[in-house]
Amino acid sequence: TISYAEQCPINFNYGVIIDPKHIRIVESSKTVVQINGPQQLFIEGREIKLSEEQKLLLSQFSDGIRTQLPEMVSIAIEGVDIGLKAANEVIGGLTGENSSSQQKLQVKFDELKWRIRARFNQSANNYYIAPQDFNDFDDMFAGQFEQEIEEIISESIGTILKAVGQSILAESSHDEAGNSEQRLDNFDSQLTSIGNDLKLEVTKRAKALDDKASKFCYQLNELDKIEYLLHEATPMMADYNIIETNR
């Protein structure tokens, strides 16, 4: 089980679509706010004339959106990579590096990462983030993906263990029983060693990801403060509170 940040008490009240030229704030498939470039603002399809102070705040807000939301995708993909690293360590230890088993596993994880990107409608520099609660990264990113990671790893390792077991049983019919038991003991010892190394590696990588998710939450909180100042300076924007912090 992969754990992300402990808590991130922040909600996104609207969908957000990002492309290289625009940020669109969406409600029920309708664009209610659009930011063109860093400093041009449209609300309900009408351009809002901005002062220099308003332009500066809008620029800071749009820069924050462009920086932070793609980070979500990065965190999700990195979580999958931890699962891939774990599986590769075990399978590599049993079958050797770049084995067909490892290559099959890589294909499955590549497909999984593609579907995570598709969830955010990412293509090139385009992103779509649905309205959601960031309070539990585990629920948000894991869910079906975490279960699928565990199934992929279990299936791959199970296949290998079955093959190794059959090989040892086949050889035992020709060898002394003691030799067969010795091979089983050696194999069991090998699994234990791989498992211990793997636990340390996954723990270290998961901690790094935890720190990254916590930083992401902190940056969203800071972005909410900029949004508050933007609303203060531009009252028409106050009707569309995109980031909501549950303080």
Side-chain angles (χ1 to χ4, degrees):
T1 299
I2 299 164
S3 177
Y4 298 97
E6 292 178 4
Q7 294 291 313
C8 188
I10 294 175
N11 298 335
F12 259 51
N13 293 321
Y14 297 86
V16 180
I17 298 172
I18 304 173
D19 66 41
K21 294 182 178 179
H22 315 95
I23 294 173
R24 289 192 285 146
I25 310 306
V26 179
E27 183 178 34
S28 301
S29 301
K30 177 188 174 186
T31 298
V32 290
V33 176
Q34 181 166 317
I35 304 170
N36 294 351
Q39 296 184 334
Q40 188 179 30
L41 176 65
F42 289 81
I43 297 178
E44 298 284 357
R46 185 163 67 90
E47 184 175 3
I48 308 301
K49 185 174 177 59
L50 300 176
S51 67
E52 289 305 311
E53 178 197 5
Q54 290 170 323
K55 286 181 180 178
L56 178 61
L57 287 168
L58 184 66
S59 179
Q60 290 175 342
F61 183 66
S62 64
D63 285 349
I65 291 283
R66 288 189 178 280
T67 300
Q68 295 308 318
L69 294 199
E71 184 72 6
M72 281 179 20
V73 183
S74 171
I75 290 171
I77 295 296
E78 195 168 332
V80 173
D81 279 336
I82 288 178
L84 175 60
K85 171 74 172 178
N88 269 334
E89 287 283 342
V90 173
I91 291 173
L94 295 173
T95 66
E97 293 296 321
N98 297 316
S99 66
S100 61
S101 296
Q102 272 195 324
Q103 289 167 11
K104 289 175 185 175
L105 186 77
Q106 182 69 55
V107 168
K108 289 184 177 181
F109 271 93
D110 286 344
E111 290 172 355
L112 180 57
K113 285 191 280 188
W114 181 87
R115 279 189 284 114
I116 288 177
R117 288 190 177 98
R119 173 180 171 174
F120 298 101
N121 287 1
Q122 180 191 15
S123 61
N125 294 315
N126 299 309
Y127 296 86
Y128 169 67
I129 312 299
Q132 56 196 285
D133 181 354
F134 290 84
N135 192 55
D136 193 333
F137 276 91
D138 286 344
D139 286 346
M140 180 180 159
F141 291 129
Q144 71 183 80
F145 295 125
E146 182 175 56
Q147 182 179 351
E148 192 166 349
I149 289 169
E150 291 171 355
E151 287 175 358
I152 290 172
I153 294 174
S154 296
E155 179 185 333
S156 299
I157 295 174
T159 300
I160 293 167
L161 292 181
K162 182 179 179 182
V164 171
Q166 288 174 341
S167 173
I168 291 175
L169 286 173
E171 290 178 12
S172 69
S173 63
H174 302 291
D175 294 339
E176 295 291 331
N179 291 336
S180 181
E181 288 177 10
Q182 182 64 43
R183 277 193 296 274
L184 282 169
D185 288 343
N186 290 343
F187 184 63
D188 185 56
S189 176
Q190 183 185 13
L191 280 181
T192 300
S193 176
I194 291 169
N196 289 337
D197 292 344
L198 180 60
K199 190 173 181 181
L200 289 173
E201 180 66 23
V202 170
T203 299
K204 181 176 71 176
R205 288 168 64 91
K207 176 63 169 62
L209 184 62
D210 213 29
D211 293 343
K212 190 173 182 178
S214 295
K215 182 179 178 181
F216 167 76
C217 186
Y218 171 78
Q219 295 293 353
L220 277 189
N221 190 68
E222 293 300 297
L223 189 55
D224 182 46
K225 294 176 183 177
I226 294 173
E227 184 183 38
Y228 174 79
L229 295 176
L230 179 61
H231 289 174
E232 288 279 294
T234 315
M236 288 184 69
M237 273 288 284
D239 291 337
Y240 304 99
N241 187 32
I242 301 159
I243 304 171
E244 182 179 6
T245 305
N246 302 322
R247 295 187 181 90

